[in-house]
């Protein structure tokens, strides 16, 4: 847990780029620990040039391992299973938001963006089942609903490209919040 704690603290200090090699070493040392994959996902997501596909893969791996084991091995920032799982869903939704922003920037087809909005909505809803009052996820849900009922409504063809959604900046005060 010492290495996991060090990686987590580096993230808290906004040094994810420097934490990347240690996060990779943590996964190599503990491939069956959800916390290790979660931290590597955070490192991918918060790099200067985010690697959102790699981040998503690590978060999905963390969620799958956690669903199977319910183990908090390599998790040093919380001792609450729901809080850890909530953090994974938040970050998976954040990955989807980052993908959506890039897709809109490059004018990808609205149907592709709609599908990613639906994926983000599923992650948000999964997180809200764990904590219905989570302000970060509630803000994301409001943005998703706005887009799904407007420019990305099924069958809609926007007259002009919509503005990319803003990514919520206020993460909740839980210890698994965005580092």
């Amino acid at each position: 847990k010492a290495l996991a704690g060090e990686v987590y603290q580096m993230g808290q200090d906004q040094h994810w780029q420097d934490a990347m090699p240690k996060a990779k070493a943590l996964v190599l040392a503990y491939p069956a620990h959800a916390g290790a994959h979660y931290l590597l996902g955070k490192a991918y997501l918060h790099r200067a040039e985010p690697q959102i596909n790699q981040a998503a893969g690590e978060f999905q791996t963390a969620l799958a391992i956690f669903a199977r084991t319910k183990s908090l091995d390599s998790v040093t920032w919380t001792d609450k299973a729901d809080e850890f799982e909530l953090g994974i869903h938040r970050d998976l939704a954040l990955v989807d938001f980052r993908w959506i922003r890039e897709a809109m920037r490059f004018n990808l087809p609205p149907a592709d963006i709609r599908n990613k909005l639906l994926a983000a909505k599923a992650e948000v809803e999964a997180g809200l089942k764990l904590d219905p009052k989570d302000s970060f996820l509630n803000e994301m849900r409001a943005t998703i609903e706005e887009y799904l009922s407007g420019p990305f409504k099924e069958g809609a063809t926007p007259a002009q490209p919509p503005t990319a959604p803003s990514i919520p900046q206020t993460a909740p005060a839980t210890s698994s919040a965005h580092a």
Side-chain angles (χ1 to χ4, degrees):
K1 281 198 170 190
L3 182 56
E6 185 180 347
V7 171
Y8 179 76
Q9 188 56 52
M10 291 174 83
Q12 289 293 100
D13 296 338
Q14 301 300 313
H15 297 293
W16 283 112
Q17 191 77 28
D18 297 333
M20 178 64 76
K22 291 180 184 208
K24 286 180 177 180
L26 187 62
V27 167
L28 288 173
Y30 303 102
H33 288 193
H37 288 278
Y38 178 72
L39 289 170
L40 182 55
K42 300 273 289 178
Y44 280 126
L45 182 60
H46 295 292
R47 292 175 57 124
E49 302 256 339
Q51 294 177 290
I52 57 176
N53 290 330
Q54 291 87 341
E58 293 300 329
F59 292 142
Q60 289 163 351
T61 299
L63 191 58
I65 292 169
F66 185 72
R68 189 178 69 249
T69 67
K70 296 297 183 199
S71 171
L72 293 174
D73 290 337
S74 297
V75 177
T76 60
W77 54 95
T78 184
D79 59 357
K80 297 178 181 125
D82 283 356
E83 190 174 286
F84 176 62
E85 186 176 354
L86 178 65
I88 298 171
H89 288 295
R90 267 192 219 116
D91 284 322
L92 279 166
L94 184 59
V95 164
D96 289 337
F97 263 63
R98 294 230 169 133
W99 187 96
I100 291 163
R101 287 181 62 81
E102 289 300 305
M104 291 172 78
R105 194 174 81 157
F106 290 105
N107 295 316
L108 289 183
D112 292 346
I113 295 170
R114 178 178 170 70
N115 288 338
K116 193 56 90 167
L117 282 163
L118 293 171
K121 183 178 180 182
E123 291 304 333
V124 166
E125 296 301 332
L128 288 172
K129 283 182 183 175
L130 297 166
D131 182 0
K133 295 179 182 177
D134 186 280
S135 61
F136 188 78
L137 290 176
N138 278 303
E139 186 178 339
M140 283 183 145
R141 179 170 57 187
T143 301
I144 292 166
E145 288 173 356
E146 178 184 331
Y147 276 86
L148 288 174
S149 65
F152 296 102
K153 187 176 184 177
E154 192 161 9
T157 46
Q160 62 184 32
T163 306
S166 62
I167 297 173
Q169 297 300 313
T170 54
T174 62
S175 34
S176 65
H178 297 279

